[in-house]
Amino acid sequence: MRTARRFVMSGRVQGVGFRFFASEAARREGLHGHVCNRVDGSVEAVVEGEILSVDRFERALRQGPSRARVEHVIVDELDPTGRATGFEIR
């Protein structure tokens, strides 16, 4: 079953390789979407794929790369589009 979610991570998440980490996790799980830095210092990721893969991706985001400190994660459920767009760092 396909699902789509938007994640916004805050804490020490910029300047620590978080976007690259998220991109690798998404590619490993076969997810589509993007990740980007936000002006408020948080990082946003939007992904779509199989529900178990998105769940594993979320667990990875909550931990983050070794130099990150994820303090808060906001999760929004989205309507899946069904499009295969790949995954990009913006």
Side-chain angles (χ1 to χ4, degrees):
M1 178 174 186
R2 280 184 87 73
T3 189
R5 291 185 199 149
R6 175 182 170 262
F7 303 95
V8 178
M9 288 67 59
S10 59
R12 187 173 64 217
V13 293
Q14 288 190 12
V16 294
F18 203 98
R19 290 179 301 159
F20 179 76
F21 172 86
S23 176
E24 289 301 308
R27 287 189 178 108
R28 193 171 46 247
E29 295 296 337
L31 300 175
H32 302 279
H34 68 271
V35 63
C36 61
N37 284 340
R38 294 168 30 126
V39 295
D40 65 0
S42 63
V43 172
E44 177 183 65
V46 177
V47 297
E48 180 173 334
E50 293 301 315
I51 193 164
L52 293 177
S53 295
V54 173
D55 289 345
R56 286 189 295 267
F57 178 76
E58 180 175 349
R59 284 194 295 275
L61 291 182
R62 289 181 180 278
Q63 182 168 358
S66 61
R67 294 182 8 206
R69 186 180 69 244
V70 180
E71 295 176 355
H72 190 67
V73 180
I74 296 170
V75 181
D76 295 316
E77 295 289 332
L78 305 173
D79 292 327
T81 65
R83 289 179 283 176
T85 59
F87 194 87
E88 68 177 348
I89 297 173
R90 295 184 176 169

